[in-house]
Amino acid sequence: MVHSGTRRSQYGEVSEAIFLTQGFVYETAEDAEARFIKVGEDEFIYARYGNPTVRMFEDRMAELEGAEDAFACASGMAAVNAVLMACLKAGDRVVAAKALFGSCLYILEDILTRYGVDVVLVDSTDLDAWDAAVNENTTLVFFESVSNPTLKLTDINAVSVIAHKVGALVVVDNIFATQTFSQPISHGADVVLYSTTKHVDGQGRCLGGIVLGKREFIRGTLEPYLKHTGGALSPFNAWVMLKGLETMDLRVEAQAATALAIAKTLQGHDKLTETLFPGLPNSPDAALVARQMDGKGGTVVSLDLKGGQEAAFRFLNALQIIIISNNLGDAKSIITHPATTTHQRLSKEQRADLGITPGLVRLSIGLEDVRDLTRDILQALDGV
Ligand SMILES: *Cc1c(COP(=O)(O)O)cnc(C)c1O
């Protein structure tokens, strides 16, 4: 996270250089021709195809994930879109979790179906549902290892076994689990993707995304799509992400420890119907957390308030330190009311089906002192 992927210029700089350049110069016309025929290991022709700062970030992320290669994208959604569009064609079937980030659902339900892709959504915690939905036409399965905002885990090993029986590609959105606690490729996944906007930046500055997997997939299937359609990460943002990676483990470990402490304090609170945190010892996902997430519950805690939306809004408005916004993994603690913001697009029935109740709030734990956060939450609950 600190040294991997570094490419030093002739000046031997300590901090990674920002190659804020769109293009590259060739010595001769013959050199230009040769580079366009075959771009070499440490050569670049256009920043949409690749850039040295972006390449450092890709190499560092790949080494951290235990993946052969990676392609960085302009945002998490550019990464999701690229994987789906690069892999699927008319007549293919994709089986995905129904509890997905809203924009991912949009791509699946509203875009891919326009091109004749058969999209089937399942309860991703139900292995029988996967088994029933994955058939011979299935090219790809897609799910979040920890779902947003109800924080339920999907068994990566078990779903991978089901998908691989028919040769389907297993694509995992691992954002909520974080790279600090979980490496889906070691559990059977083929492709892993992140919105690096979240914990990798970790300080709310830049959008970014990345896709990790086998070299043949990244360079053979994904790169042709991305380099011609323009979802490339900016070199400046790649540099911010590189610097973010240097401290990501420290930040995420601290956030997860605070999240666990807060979840334990709030469990059974009389203003709450439920405290959702997979890292709680009595969580229904405890065994999966041990196996798949290094025993840690991540950095997000969701709370279901008695008294529905009115209580939730009163709680949000009474918080003094925790800010109302919709990022996560940030140094600042952030609270969101999914039903009226991130999941507003869904119907009431869909929200109910996903457990997104009117009283549910999603709290992304930051780097503030745990005592300050606890006091803030308790005083705000008092006023509900
Ligand atoms: C944020 C997020 C995305 C999209 O990432 P952007 O960088 O905002 O485009 C996708 N999936 C999950 C689970 C996310 O939290």
Side-chain angles (χ1 to χ4, degrees), residues 140-374:
L140 187 149
V141 306
F142 179 49
F143 58 93
E144 292 171 13
S145 48
V146 179
S147 70
N148 168 38
T150 51
L151 311 177
K152 298 215 167 53
L153 270 71
T154 291
D155 186 332
I156 302 170
N157 272 303
V159 175
S160 298
V161 167
I162 293 168
H164 287 156
K165 269 193 255 171
V166 297
L169 195 75
V170 177
V171 181
V172 178
D173 175 335
N174 202 40
I175 293 161
F176 274 65
T178 81
Q179 232 175 359
T180 292
F181 299 136
S182 159
Q183 279 81 34
I185 287 174
S186 67
H187 295 286
D190 301 300
V191 176
V192 184
L193 52 90
Y194 295 91
S195 160
T196 61
T197 313
K198 313 290 166 57
H199 304 81
V200 175
D201 177 329
Q203 291 161 78
R205 297 161 294 194
C206 294
L207 289 172
I210 197 158
V211 183
L212 303 113
K214 289 222 157 59
R215 179 150 302 130
E216 188 191 337
F217 172 79
I218 298 292
R219 298 298 149 197
T221 305
L222 189 73
E223 184 189 288
Y225 179 83
L226 267 166
K227 73 183 189 187
H228 295 300
T229 55
L233 182 65
S234 111
F236 179 80
N237 290 5
W239 178 81
V240 170
M241 303 295 174
L242 272 168
K243 303 317 277 182
L245 275 178
E246 293 183 346
T247 58
M248 184 173 80
D249 260 11
L250 297 172
R251 289 183 282 104
V252 168
E253 290 279 6
Q255 288 166 327
T258 304
L260 176 61
I262 286 175
K264 280 183 171 165
T265 301
L266 295 179
Q267 218 182 1
H269 192 287
D270 64 3
K271 299 282 173 74
L272 303 173
T273 53
E274 215 174 355
T275 299
L276 300 167
F277 183 66
L280 283 169
N282 58 352
S283 152
D285 282 332
L288 263 184
V289 167
R291 200 161 77 224
Q292 219 167 267
M293 280 182 68
D294 215 11
K296 306 290 174 61
T299 67
V300 178
V301 179
S302 290
L303 307 171
D304 196 1
L305 279 92
K306 290 178 185 167
Q309 181 176 326
E310 195 188 333
F313 274 28
R314 205 172 283 184
F315 173 59
L316 260 63
N317 293 339
L319 290 165
Q320 292 171 355
I321 296 171
I322 298 166
I323 54 177
I324 304 170
S325 189
N326 38 267
N327 192 15
L328 61 106
D330 196 276
K332 295 178 174 65
S333 290
I334 287 173
I335 198 152
T336 311
H337 183 247
T340 54
T341 60
T342 53
H343 292 72
Q344 194 189 81
R345 199 180 67 85
L346 302 184
S347 69
K348 220 167 155 181
E349 292 69 35
Q350 275 176 304
R351 279 197 296 270
D353 186 32
L354 297 174
I356 303 170
T357 58
L360 190 77
V361 299
R362 185 191 81 189
L363 172 60
S364 166
I365 299 294
L367 291 173
E368 302 91 339
D369 191 290
V370 62
R371 290 161 297 187
D372 287 337
L373 290 179
T374 306

